Amino acid sequence: MRIDVDQPDWRVEDAPLRVSNLQTGVFSGPVGSPVGTHRHRVDLDVRTETPRRLLFTPSRGRVEITVSASRDTNCMVAAWLVGTEHRSPAESGEICIFEIDAVAVGKTTVVRTGVKAHHDPDLTTDMIDVTVPVDACSPHTWTVIWGDGETIIGCEGRALRRVAQAPDYPLFLMIDLFEIGPPGGDYPKTATIHRVRAWR
């Protein structure tokens, strides 16, 4: 994943914020509507209508991601499973596999992980910081297993979280590198996704 010095902001209203993104599908409603995937704020409206494309959208299963995070200034690498919302706006919950800020990386790394409800009335947001005994800039593997009302999140073969809830509807996998704040430091900003494996 890569952000170059001349890359534009994600949205003018959110500037300065730049993103390199991979995701396993897209969904939006008509232009001007609030209908679409990952409505993480209430003031978001569709600017570009996008045909629905559901490439990989499991409602339960297992995903493994081997990643090397970034040490670059103001960067964060993250992976989420996010409700597609194409059937209902309530199907909007999120499994946050990891959010790794560059400033939190060292011999051990502090990571945010858990479940976010967003607009799903059947979920409760349950996010915590965990410390993993790895330098997250080196290749390391995250695992999430979810279904039957439980989400298990682990790192390097060790379970870190067992959350007694799980979305039970189609989810997109999203992996992102963010640069949050004014441009600075060396470019390009990078993080490496070495491998993604998934089972339904």
Side-chain angles (χ1 to χ4, degrees):
M1 310 193 80
R2 175 175 170 142
I3 295 171
D4 289 293
V5 67
D6 58 349
Q7 182 169 320
D9 288 301
W10 180 34
R11 292 193 333 142
V12 172
E13 296 89 338
D14 295 326
L17 175 64
R18 302 189 287 176
V19 184
S20 176
N21 165 264
L22 298 170
Q23 63 186 61
T24 61
V26 291
F27 165 68
S28 79
V31 171
S33 79
V35 178
T37 301
H38 209 197
R39 296 171 299 120
H40 59 282
R41 291 203 320 256
V42 297
D43 62 338
L44 298 176
D45 293 317
V46 176
R47 291 189 180 163
T48 304
E49 186 171 353
T50 306
R52 184 174 72 195
R53 196 163 182 214
L54 309 176
L55 299 175
F56 174 69
T57 58
S59 56
R60 60 183 300 143
R62 173 178 178 147
V63 172
E64 291 183 355
I65 301 169
T66 302
V67 60
S68 294
S70 178
R71 282 193 207 276
D72 291 314
T73 304
N74 294 336
C75 282
M76 178 185 79
V77 65
W80 305 287
L81 289 155
V82 177
T84 64
E85 302 187 52
H86 76 281
R87 302 188 310 191
S88 165
E91 293 185 343
S92 57
E94 170 193 317
I95 298 172
C96 175
I97 307 168
F98 58 80
E99 294 176 349
I100 305 172
D101 296 319
V103 295
V105 177
K107 291 182 179 178
T108 62
T109 302
V110 178
V111 181
R112 289 181 300 281
T113 187
V115 171
K116 300 177 189 177
H118 292 300
H119 309 281
D120 183 340
D122 295 326
L123 294 179
T124 301
T125 295
D126 183 351
M127 291 287 294
I128 65 169
D129 289 350
V130 296
T131 300
V132 294
V134 296
D135 178 340
C137 289
S138 298
H140 64 291
T141 300
W142 288 85
T143 303
V144 59
I145 303 168
W146 78 102
D148 297 325
E150 182 179 55
T151 301
I152 302 168
I153 301 169
C155 181
E156 290 292 280
R158 176 174 156 249
L160 301 174
R161 305 257 3 237
R162 287 182 181 268
V163 183
Q165 52 182 338
D168 61 356
Y169 39 76
L171 305 171
F172 291 134
L173 175 63
M174 296 183 176
I175 306 174
D176 291 76
L177 172 66
F178 290 86
E179 182 183 25
I180 303 164
D186 296 326
Y187 288 89
K189 313 286 188 187
T190 62
T192 302
I193 308 304
H194 301 277
R195 185 173 71 171
V196 177
R197 296 200 305 167
W199 301 259
R200 291 183 196 233

